[in-house]
Amino acid sequence: MMNPHSCDDAHLAATYEQTPPPDLLALLEEQDDFLLLGHVNPDGDAVGSVLALAHMLRDMGRTVAAAFPSPPPRWWTDMPGADLVQDNPRQAPVVIALDCDGAGRLAGLQPLHAAAQYSVEIDHHSSTDRTSDILYVDPAAGATGILVFRIIEALGRPLTSAIATCIYWAVATDTGFFRFANTSTEVLEICARCAACGADPHSIAHTNVGIRPLPHLILKGRALVGLESYLDGRVLASAIGPEDFVAAGADRTHVEEIIDDIRLAENVDIYVLFKAIDLDNRWEVSLRSSVVNCAQVARDFGGGGHAEAAGFTFDGPLEKGRTRLLDALSKALPDHHHG
Ligand code: 5GP
Ligand code: MN
């Protein structure tokens, strides 16, 4: 009897919203020197989609390097392909930005992308500020890892165990391990396929959500203790500043997912976390809501993201930025009576 979950299955039952553009597929087939880049403060989707595509290109015999403008959290060395990542990458003719809501998210690595003979963006964010020669953007996709999976399928390349692990990692983390609104049939089918081809759901879940560095837990505790309600309880917010990072022994990589615990609070429409690591008074903001469009609010402050999860940065003081944000949120909230 045929194993319905065999790694050799040619097709998924799900039909894709969008297939990869032919010019991208041709570029991947014809070029032989690639640099793949993920966004600043890289998350599981950024690292997983970059490394999955890097594995595919290396398996095809191409020269390929990967880089990130700032270091990913410690877990990333558990992902296959650490040897593909370089601290000071050189210019390549083809430079591909993955999971970037516009090339600005490449921070210090943006000049390499801008100077490429062929610049490419592969992404599922909603930015319309795209500067690349070739675009593969599908905001309906649950993760950028999904787009890489579609590319691998379209090229008929094998889903090796290393690639399956990177894609599962990318998709599982970006969907909050299959809890968030972006968890679709396609997400579940692709992850089932990756599991059949060598991804280990238990160990990936354990590494990402089953065990956490102590500084992360202490930092999260400080963020939770500091929670305050605004706008008649419809907004829940906290702030962690330089003194919190020092007290927790934490760095920027320990911030990820604190907002996911804040968004557990019931009867709240919008969740906000303000973060400042250094004494330079530069604040990063995480926004979460299924009631207002976070990406739209964040864009008005120079940031971006997804409808349900977005972010931006501002120069302090904190109180001024918080007042401005609350003002914008009160206008964005439906049925909110002003004044
Ligand atoms: P987080 O709150 O987890 O840092 O980010 C949530 C989402 O918003 C992610 O998809 C992230 O890439 C995006 N995002 C966060 N900060 C910024 C920003 O400053 N600019 C843009 N364009 N996107 C951001
Ligand atoms: Mn993503």
Side-chain angles (χ1 to χ4, degrees):
M1 204 181 108
M2 234 181 83
N3 175 359
H5 301 295
S6 156
C7 188
D8 302 326
D9 282 349
H11 298 290
L12 299 178
T15 46
Y16 302 141
E17 293 287 320
Q18 216 191 66
T19 50
D23 53 350
L24 173 59
L25 298 177
L27 190 81
L28 294 170
E29 300 245 54
E30 288 160 16
Q31 295 293 314
D32 54 25
D33 191 359
F34 298 84
L35 175 61
L36 311 187
L37 306 174
H39 60 75
V40 67
N41 301 324
D43 58 9
D45 191 27
V47 185
S49 52
V50 162
L51 291 186
L53 192 61
H55 278 292
M56 184 199 81
L57 290 166
R58 187 162 65 176
D59 294 348
M60 289 165 74
R62 307 300 202 273
T63 299
V64 57
F68 303 95
S70 61
R74 188 216 56 81
W75 49 251
W76 82 277
T77 50
D78 289 356
M79 208 187 275
D83 55 310
L84 287 155
V85 178
Q86 297 181 358
D87 287 337
N88 295 299
R90 59 164 183 82
Q91 183 73 55
V94 185
V95 179
I96 307 180
L98 291 105
D99 203 36
C100 292
D101 192 29
R105 297 282 286 158
L106 292 172
L109 296 178
Q110 193 177 353
L112 290 169
H113 184 259
Q117 194 180 343
Y118 302 97
S119 61
V120 181
E121 280 169 78
I122 300 173
D123 185 34
H124 71 136
H125 291 87
S126 52
S127 171
T128 50
D129 181 22
R130 304 288 182 177
T131 51
S132 296
D133 300 319
I134 295 176
L135 294 178
Y136 180 25
V137 176
D138 181 4
T144 300
I146 296 274
L147 306 186
V148 175
F149 180 93
R150 294 178 190 164
I151 289 167
I152 288 165
E153 284 249 309
L155 290 175
R157 299 297 310 171
L159 196 62
T160 63
S161 168
I163 293 174
T165 298
C166 293
I167 290 178
Y168 186 101
W169 199 307
V171 178
T173 52
D174 242 33
T175 59
F177 282 83
F178 317 110
R179 288 177 297 151
F180 301 155
N182 55 348
T183 306
S184 60
T185 308
E186 185 187 28
V187 158
L188 295 169
E189 279 204 76
I190 285 175
C191 285
R193 177 84 181 284
C194 288
C197 294
D200 181 346
H202 171 66
S203 80
I204 294 170
H206 182 70
T207 300
N208 285 280
V209 290
I211 186 167
R212 304 267 76 181
L214 191 55
H216 166 82
L217 295 177
I218 296 173
L219 196 60
K220 181 187 292 179
R222 296 177 74 94
L224 296 180
V225 163
L227 281 170
E228 288 192 53
S229 294
Y230 301 90
L231 304 181
D232 303 327
R234 299 184 75 180
V235 177
L236 186 65
S238 189
I240 39 179
E243 66 284 5
D244 296 298
F245 282 87
V246 170
D251 60 40
R252 175 62 182 75
T253 68
H254 296 115
V255 169
E256 259 15 283
E257 287 131 36
I258 289 178
I259 188 74
D260 294 332
D261 282 274
I262 293 175
R263 71 166 17 170
L264 295 172
E266 59 186 350
N267 298 323
V268 172
D269 289 334
I270 306 167
Y271 306 89
V272 187
L273 179 61
F274 299 93
K275 305 155 270 182
I277 292 94
D278 302 315
L279 291 165
D280 61 3
N281 220 8
R282 184 93 188 140
W283 289 85
E284 288 178 44
V285 186
S286 287
L287 284 178
R288 300 290 186 273
S289 179
S290 49
V291 174
V292 307
N293 186 328
C294 296
Q296 215 165 308
V297 173
R299 268 199 294 275
D300 288 344
F301 287 90
H306 306 284
E308 303 221 345
F312 64 94
T313 57
F314 68 89
D315 286 313
L318 169 64
E319 295 68 29
K320 196 165 144 231
R322 183 165 50 206
T323 302
R324 280 189 63 209
L325 176 61
L326 288 170
D327 188 48
L329 293 177
S330 81
K331 291 178 178 126
L333 270 168
D335 312 312
H336 192 73
H337 303 290
H338 305 279

